Amino acid sequence: LMKSSLNTFLNAFTYPDRTCYPVASQNLKDFYNLVNVYLDAVFFPRAVTDPQVMAQEGWHYELDKEDDPLTRKGVVFNEMKGVYSQPDNIMGKVEMEALFPDNTYGVDSGGDPQVIPSLTFEQFKSFHQANYHPSNARVYFYGDDPVKERLDLLDSYLSEFEENKVDTTVGWQPLLKEPRKISGKFPSNSEEGKYMASVNWVVHDSPLKSEDKLAISILSHLLMGTSASVLRKALTDSGLGEQVLGGGFDDTLQQTVFNVGLKGLKGDEDAEKVENLVIDILSKLKDEGFPEKAVAASINTIEFRLREFNTGGFPKGLMLMLGALEEWIYGGDPLNGMRFEKDLASLKQRLKDGEPVFQNIIKSMLIDNTHRVTVSMAPDTQLEAKDQEEERKELDGIKSSMSADDVKKIVEETKLLKEAQAAEDPPEAVATMPTLSLSDLDKKQRDIPIKVEDHKEGTKLVTHALSTSGIMYLDMALNLQALPMEDLPLIPLFERLLTEAGTQGKDAVALSQYIGTHTGGLGVSHFISQKANGAAVGDPSSVLGYLTLRAKCVSEKVDTMLDIAEEVLTTAKLDNRQRAIEILKETKAGLEAAIVGSGHRYAAGRLSSRFTVADHIGEKMGGLDYLATVKEMLEQAENDDTWPALQKRLEGIRSALLCTKGDKRMIINLTADQELLDSSRSQIDKFVDRMHGNSIGDASATKLHDWAEEAKMEAAENEGFPVPTQVNYVGFGGQLFKSGEEMSGSAQVISKFLSTGFLWDQVRVIGGAYGGFCGIDPVSGLFRFLSYRDPNLQGTVDNYKAAADFLANIELTQEELEKAVIGTIGDIDSPTSPDQKGFTSLTRWLVGREHADLQRRRDQILGTTVNDFKEFGKRLQQLNTEAKAVVIGSGQAFEEAKDINFNLKNVL
């Protein structure tokens, strides 16, 4: 389906008490194709008649030869090994087991890799028979398709069943009579400052009203929603740890839980300090309540979120469904999960009348609630090796207990499974899959309206007239080339200080509340990119970068939003040393967790950083190199002697950026209804004048730096980064198209085809990785293979190399070619929200990707030929001779990868 659909969503969600199988498309024919296949797959799957499906996707023993060591493979088995290589996930499992000892929530719905191998095919089949039945299903449609047609389609599947009394009621977890303390361990390469602790509650044991749920969501924001929220701030300010854990209340399941804690503690003894601090803060809030301004800010933030309903790239109907299910599957009204007006009005009135709504919740659900579990987690530098040794001993024991015939049977089953995995689907099976034709596709590239005006002093005003329901979206961009490259790694810290350190007129808490009260949110980030070169690959040394302040508000708050933007840019307290230290600690802890859990992203960035200046900068500002820089900055900030120099550099960054006069030094990007764009023009003009007249900008900082000259680029090499994990993230690639070469849009079709075909089969299906994919960058010409939660290393690189010959010798039918084209167009035409459209249009304009370039790419995609595949394969054959691997994985995997000469480096 991924190969040949225009789907805007195609996946599944596994919860502890439900599984959702949603599909979405903007093309009605495609939508019904997807619905047909999903209904067939859910109710009549091959998985319950063919044990090889569970063997592949779940788990199986693997033996290629009788003398080989016995191993286990399986896509989900390996996925969950990856999940439980991450300390946060190990802690989450311990928390849920302790909070829910008596119902299904204490069991891991994703699968515990130590328990998965106990699942038999018969158990799997009987579970499906009992639960995957229309009597246990909820069916949800959203859209303007004909009602009778959708019901007829459903009836064609559901009418084959008789009613079946299925009791899947989730039992209520009785509340504990007294608090408990639980401890656990997680694998780590260091024990210093790595401990974690959390305090957790189940907050009720009977159904909540929808108004109570709304009140809890607002209270959660009051406690934890921003860096200035009272409980989050108290934990951060305590200095006990590096990063706050948990987000407060979570009402996704039948029983709402509350979870909060800290990671980066110095020792186990700090767990009690964390528990005492949490309870002390909550007790004080129970007695004293919250300041009115804090309540107003949180209510406005949640209300703005509900009214805007900005789902980003997710279909709105999908998000409504997920909300409906939170009531529906527990016997409630699904529409209650979508409505909020009545509850919001009632809650506001109760607060206006003086009812201590939030204090009462804290008292009854937290302070007086004995169903509390405090979890402490300790790092163990021997645990990874111990687990591997125990698994090896277990498998050796299993094999030694087998008869010769048993061993032969597993060898034969391994052989048959691999043959099945490598085999092409029979033509008659492929023919049963409904598909579109090229005539169903829109030949024209979708356009985003854009108007670019020259404003005063070189400033550009960029506007996008789009329907935004009365919301103004602002993107204010300041040219980062005002800075030398050596200052760029400070930018992520600078960005957070702007909004989290307070200003001259407001401390951090007051600023956060003011932003929450008057806007829908305000944040600062950055954008770095190589410049485009029409149909040709761009110059790798050609780069641009902007600091972007992004905010949104309703029409009557435009003035206030602009005032806040000016205030944070010009008066933010960059001398707030405590907040700088806290941010750097949080960043360090976050990076360490992300490198282990999302290593493919860091491998990709590292690969690319050797080829273009833009990617080199990206590595310095957010990649593996950045972690070392963060550690250095943290040392500087904590040292009385070196903090002043760091602060001076931060002040220098602001002075240089606020020299706003000059061509494209400052860009104002606005997305709103045309009427709102027109009515707010005078406010924007005044704001631009004020920014040009600010007293902070260094008038002498008119020079724009040439980062290409300043960059110290390093040659590509095979790099390995051993981390405590049971899986690997394998990157491989290089420069497929050189600067100035024309690259056809067909390259995207071929990349998609490889990802959903060859790599899916070789890396995921046969190799057992949870993901294997590739991608081509049309601006840089870089091509990268990547794998995700992969049990292999050497074998995966071998598969990447084999893709070249596969393409060079490929024979495609016209139908297969058309499917590949259709799937690629589906990716290009995915839905986006108005603010996404406005920002995408801005970045395209900045890098020089014009609508004509995008239309040319679309035409080339639609005109892709089999010969394009073969020529691409020949390019990959050449790339194989010079491509490099970057791998984040287990130490054991590097020891076994004998054919690749890795330069091994420590990163954590």
Side-chain angles (χ1 to χ4, degrees):
L1 288 176
M2 287 194 295
K3 290 179 184 178
S4 56
S5 166
L6 297 176
N7 74 84
T8 55
F9 193 86
L10 179 75
N11 211 321
F13 298 119
T14 307
Y15 290 81
D17 58 10
R18 59 193 180 271
T19 302
C20 310
Y21 297 89
V23 292
S25 178
Q26 297 172 99
N27 179 293
L28 184 58
K29 180 180 176 182
D30 185 51
F31 177 61
Y32 281 146
N33 286 349
L34 296 169
V35 172
N36 269 293
V37 174
Y38 257 49
L39 285 169
D40 188 41
V42 169
F43 290 118
F44 309 101
R46 183 165 65 91
V48 297
T49 60
D50 182 357
Q52 284 187 331
V53 176
M54 197 194 96
Q56 172 186 295
E57 299 295 324
W59 80 277
H60 64 274
Y61 289 124
E62 188 157 299
L63 267 180
D64 289 318
K65 293 182 290 190
E66 291 180 34
D67 294 337
D68 286 349
L70 183 68
T71 60
R72 290 190 187 103
K73 286 274 184 78
V75 172
V76 173
F77 177 68
N78 289 320
E79 178 207 1
M80 297 311 295
K81 274 191 163 187
V83 168
Y84 288 123
S85 293
Q86 297 171 248
D88 291 21
N89 291 333
I90 298 171
M91 186 178 199
K93 180 173 180 288
V94 173
E95 290 166 348
M96 290 299 283
E97 287 173 348
L99 285 171
F100 295 101
D102 304 314
N103 73 0
T104 190
Y105 297 153
V107 183
D108 186 347
S109 59
D112 184 335
Q114 293 186 338
V115 181
I116 287 172
S118 69
L119 177 67
T120 67
F121 176 69
E122 288 70 28
Q123 289 172 323
F124 175 78
K125 183 177 179 178
S126 64
F127 183 88
H128 181 275
Q129 264 181 332
N131 296 288
Y132 279 59
H133 189 281
S135 299
N136 191 41
R138 278 86 170 161
V139 184
Y140 169 98
F141 277 82
Y142 175 95
D144 59 0
D145 56 310
V147 174
K148 185 175 187 308
E149 195 171 338
R150 68 162 68 142
L151 295 178
D152 287 343
L153 191 161
L154 275 179
D155 188 58
S156 68
Y157 287 91
L158 305 189
S159 61
E160 296 193 32
F161 294 85
E162 297 295 326
E163 184 180 6
N164 183 22
K165 298 294 184 184
V166 183
D167 184 11
T168 53
T169 304
V170 177
W172 287 86
Q173 169 63 52
L175 296 186
L176 300 173
K177 300 302 182 188
E178 57 184 33
R180 299 172 61 192
K181 296 183 189 296
I182 304 288
S183 61
K185 294 183 177 181
F186 60 89
S188 174
N189 60 359
S190 168
E191 293 185 0
E192 185 180 348
K194 296 281 188 181
Y195 291 77
M196 303 191 294
S198 66
V199 191
N200 312 267
W201 282 267
V202 174
V203 303
H204 62 106
D205 57 359
S206 59
L208 295 175
K209 295 177 182 177
S210 56
E211 187 175 332
D212 294 333
K213 287 188 174 185
L214 178 61
I216 285 171
S217 71
I218 294 170
L219 174 58
S220 196
H221 189 270
L222 272 164
L223 292 170
M224 299 289 294
T226 72
S227 62
S229 294
V230 60
L231 182 55
R232 177 178 290 276
K233 188 174 186 302
L235 285 163
T236 303
D237 290 351
S238 72
L240 290 170
E242 294 180 339
Q243 186 180 39
V244 174
L245 290 169
F249 290 99
D250 182 350
D251 64 354
T252 309
L253 305 176
Q254 179 170 252
Q255 285 175 271
T256 298
V257 298
F258 185 90
N259 164 259
V260 67
L262 278 170
K263 68 193 308 184
L265 303 174
K266 294 179 179 63
D268 249 343
E269 64 278 3
D270 285 339
E272 189 173 349
K273 295 177 184 176
V274 171
E275 180 186 53
N276 290 338
L277 176 60
V278 169
I279 292 171
D280 287 348
I281 295 297
L282 291 173
S283 298
K284 184 179 179 183
L285 291 168
K286 178 204 71 170
D287 295 335
E288 300 176 7
F290 296 88
E292 278 187 29
K293 288 183 178 179
V295 173
S298 289
I299 289 176
N300 182 71
T301 298
I302 300 301
E303 182 175 359
F304 194 103
R305 219 175 271 170
L306 290 168
R307 296 193 186 286
E308 182 191 27
F309 198 57
N310 189 335
T311 60
F314 282 93
K316 276 187 163 57
L318 171 66
M319 302 310 290
L320 283 169
M321 178 205 74
L322 295 178
L325 281 174
E326 291 178 11
E327 294 275 346
W328 199 5
I329 66 162
Y330 308 122
D333 181 351
L335 293 180
N336 278 347
M338 305 181 192
R339 301 183 178 117
F340 65 87
E341 291 284 3
K342 184 179 176 183
D343 289 339
L344 184 61
S346 172
L347 181 60
K348 285 181 175 179
Q349 187 60 51
R350 287 165 62 194
L351 291 167
K352 185 178 179 182
D353 292 343
E355 182 181 341
V357 175
F358 302 121
Q359 291 167 263
N360 290 343
I361 294 173
I362 291 173
K363 182 178 188 302
S364 63
M365 291 189 170
L366 299 175
I367 295 301
D368 293 347
N369 178 7
T370 53
H371 193 107
R372 183 176 81 238
V373 175
T374 300
V375 174
S376 60
M377 300 293 293
D380 187 336
T381 57
Q382 305 301 314
L383 189 58
E384 182 187 5
K386 182 183 170 188
D387 287 345
Q388 289 172 348
E389 183 183 352
E390 286 182 357
E391 184 180 30
R392 183 69 268 149
K393 280 182 180 177
E394 180 196 4
L395 288 167
D396 288 345
I398 291 170
K399 188 182 179 188
S400 66
S401 69
M402 290 178 177
S403 67
D405 286 343
D406 290 337
V407 173
K408 286 179 181 176
K409 183 183 177 186
I410 291 179
V411 171
E412 180 63 17
E413 287 175 347
T414 299
K415 177 173 170 286
L416 292 174
L417 179 60
K418 288 189 174 182
E419 287 174 354
Q421 290 171 330
E424 294 290 332
D425 288 325
E428 61 272 18
V430 175
T432 65
M433 291 288 288
T435 187
L436 301 174
S437 65
L438 292 183
S439 61
D440 294 311
L441 305 183
D442 190 347
K443 304 299 186 290
K444 289 189 176 180
Q445 175 70 28
R446 296 176 182 177
D447 198 7
I448 301 173
I450 181 171
K451 182 180 179 183
V452 180
E453 299 176 57
D454 290 323
H455 210 282
K456 297 175 183 176
E457 305 286 358
T459 293
K460 304 293 182 183
L461 178 62
V462 185
T463 55
H464 315 274
L466 292 168
S467 176
T468 62
S469 303
I471 295 173
M472 170 70 83
Y473 295 99
L474 163 72
D475 307 302
M476 178 184 177
L478 298 172
N479 197 329
L480 283 172
Q481 286 181 277
L483 306 174
M485 192 168 155
E486 65 181 12
D487 280 346
L488 295 182
L490 276 70
I491 289 298
L493 171 61
F494 175 78
E495 290 164 352
R496 288 191 61 183
L497 285 172
L498 287 180
T499 57
E500 298 179 28
T503 63
Q504 287 179 8
K506 300 178 183 70
D507 64 22
V509 173
L511 177 64
S512 177
Q513 291 172 358
Y514 197 69
I515 291 171
T517 302
H518 297 287
T519 76
L522 182 148
V524 186
S525 57
H526 59 269
F527 167 70
I528 307 285
S529 177
Q530 184 176 345
K531 293 179 183 176
N533 185 26
V537 170
D539 178 350
S541 65
S542 178
V543 61
L544 58 84
Y546 281 87
L547 183 93
T548 54
L549 182 149
R550 306 188 66 191
K552 54 190 175 184
C553 67
V554 293
S555 56
E556 60 268 26
K557 294 286 188 176
V558 172
D559 255 341
T560 308
M561 177 179 71
L562 295 173
D563 288 343
I564 297 171
E566 180 183 4
E567 181 176 2
V568 299
L569 286 169
T570 59
T571 72
K573 300 279 287 179
L574 300 180
D575 60 350
N576 188 335
R577 181 181 177 187
Q578 180 185 350
R579 189 62 194 134
I581 291 171
E582 293 164 354
I583 289 169
L584 289 167
K585 284 182 177 180
E586 289 173 16
T587 304
K588 172 180 168 287
L591 284 167
E592 289 171 342
I595 289 167
V596 175
S598 302
H600 60 299
R601 289 196 289 113
Y602 292 90
R606 186 70 165 201
L607 259 177
S608 300
S609 71
R610 304 314 194 200
F611 296 95
T612 76
V613 174
D615 290 309
H616 173 76
I617 292 170
E619 171 71 8
K620 298 296 182 187
M621 295 178 72
L624 297 173
D625 279 346
Y626 181 56
L627 176 55
T629 303
V630 168
K631 291 176 180 178
E632 290 172 11
M633 287 193 290
L634 180 55
E635 283 186 20
Q636 284 182 280
E638 289 180 323
N639 187 308
D640 290 344
D641 295 330
T642 53
W643 161 249
L646 181 59
Q647 182 199 334
K648 185 178 180 181
R649 291 180 70 189
L650 292 167
E651 297 285 3
I653 287 171
R654 174 159 59 187
S655 294
L657 290 178
L658 290 183
C659 176
T660 57
K661 297 178 182 178
D663 186 42
K664 291 186 181 176
R665 291 289 293 251
M666 181 170 74
I667 298 166
I668 306 296
N669 187 63
L670 305 172
T671 304
D673 306 274
Q674 186 62 60
E675 184 179 351
L676 179 52
L677 290 173
D678 292 340
S679 64
S680 59
R681 181 56 189 261
S682 64
Q683 297 157 301
I684 298 296
D685 290 344
K686 292 174 185 175
F687 172 70
V688 172
D689 286 342
R690 294 200 305 271
M691 289 307 302
H692 285 325
N694 79 80
S695 60
I696 304 296
D698 180 357
S700 66
T702 55
K703 173 190 173 186
L704 291 182
H705 288 261
D706 185 344
W707 291 336
E709 280 189 7
E710 297 176 17
K712 295 181 176 69
M713 302 281 287
E714 298 174 49
E717 61 176 338
N718 294 318
E719 293 184 279
F721 299 90
V723 297
T725 181
Q726 300 179 65
V727 293
N728 307 298
Y729 303 90
V730 184
F732 183 75
Q735 191 92 44
L736 190 61
F737 290 84
K738 301 293 189 279
S739 177
E741 279 191 289
E742 288 208 9
M743 184 178 72
S744 169
S746 64
Q748 280 183 260
V749 179
I750 299 160
S751 298
K752 169 92 173 180
F753 180 83
L754 272 181
S755 292
T756 56
F758 181 83
L759 294 176
W760 178 276
D761 294 337
Q762 300 301 317
V763 177
R764 187 186 196 277
V765 173
I766 298 174
Y770 194 60
F773 33 90
C774 63
I776 183 87
D777 186 329
V779 176
S780 69
L782 294 178
F783 186 82
R784 303 176 303 200
F785 292 99
L786 295 165
S787 69
Y788 179 72
R789 289 180 179 164
D790 189 346
N792 309 302
L793 195 167
Q794 180 73 59
T796 295
V797 173
D798 292 342
N799 281 322
Y800 293 160
K801 291 181 177 179
D805 289 343
F806 168 75
L807 287 178
N809 301 299
I810 199 167
E811 295 299 332
L812 278 179
T813 65
Q814 183 61 28
E815 183 181 10
E816 289 172 319
L817 180 61
E818 288 191 7
K819 284 182 177 180
V821 170
I822 291 165
T824 307
I825 292 294
D827 289 345
I828 291 173
D829 289 348
S830 59
T832 50
S833 57
D835 60 314
Q836 287 177 318
K837 286 187 174 78
F839 191 71
T840 297
S841 181
L842 169 69
T843 57
R844 284 175 179 170
W845 171 72
L846 282 171
V847 302
R849 298 199 77 189
E850 298 180 359
H851 183 73
D853 298 325
L854 300 175
Q855 183 62 55
R856 185 192 307 111
R857 177 191 64 170
R858 192 182 191 90
D859 294 341
Q860 291 167 344
I861 287 169
L862 292 167
T864 300
T865 66
V866 176
N867 191 57
D868 292 327
F869 280 69
K870 294 177 182 289
E871 290 300 316
F872 197 90
K874 292 175 184 176
R875 277 189 180 265
L876 284 182
Q877 287 173 333
Q878 177 59 38
L879 182 64
N880 279 344
T881 65
E882 56 193 48
K884 301 299 179 184
V886 174
V887 178
I888 295 168
S890 69
Q892 182 181 345
F894 290 111
E895 290 174 13
E896 296 170 355
K898 306 294 186 186
D899 295 346
I900 306 173
N901 184 22
F902 281 105
N903 183 359
L904 296 181
K905 302 174 180 179
N906 291 324
V907 64
L908 296 183

